[in-house]
Amino acid sequence: MLDFLGLFIRTMTDPNAFIIRFEEHKLNKECLYRLRNVFNNHPGNEEVILEIISTNENKVKYLSLKSIKIKPCLSMYLEILKLI
């Protein structure tokens, strides 16, 4: 479901943000629901930003999930990889 190579990206300008990349055509309600559950299992202080890539329009949209703060860790990454 997720592009493995582009799964996790950190920006150098905001070390307190966790950015995850999705291709728009692969993003659906079920995927978002499962992803939210993973994030809820790893509460912390980092903001989550979805980077949504539209292949048809060659555009990138950013969606900040302000109500969700996480603490990225190996177990969280492994949970997300199970969603793929």
Side-chain angles (χ1 to χ4, degrees):
M1 234 179 221
L2 304 172
D3 175 22
F4 181 75
L5 295 176
L7 185 60
F8 305 106
I9 297 176
R10 291 207 178 258
T11 60
M12 299 303 286
T13 58
D14 189 356
N16 294 321
F18 176 81
I19 300 175
I20 185 165
R21 179 184 294 170
F22 287 92
E23 292 179 16
E24 185 176 40
H25 69 278
K26 294 181 180 179
L27 198 59
N28 59 41
K29 286 183 182 181
E30 182 181 340
C31 178
L32 289 172
Y33 177 76
R34 289 180 178 179
L35 191 60
R36 184 187 69 191
N37 288 336
V38 170
F39 291 151
N40 286 337
N41 290 335
H42 301 279
N45 296 322
E46 287 196 30
E47 178 183 2
V48 177
I49 299 173
L50 294 180
E51 183 179 278
I52 304 168
I53 300 168
S54 172
T55 53
N56 296 343
E57 301 172 10
N58 291 328
K59 291 184 180 179
V60 177
K61 301 173 192 172
Y62 295 93
L63 178 61
S64 177
L65 307 179
K66 299 209 182 266
S67 64
I68 298 176
K69 303 285 187 191
I70 63 167
K71 180 178 180 182
C73 61
L74 180 59
S75 62
M76 186 190 80
Y77 294 130
L78 294 174
E79 287 180 51
I80 292 173
L81 287 175
K82 286 181 187 178
L83 298 177
I84 298 175

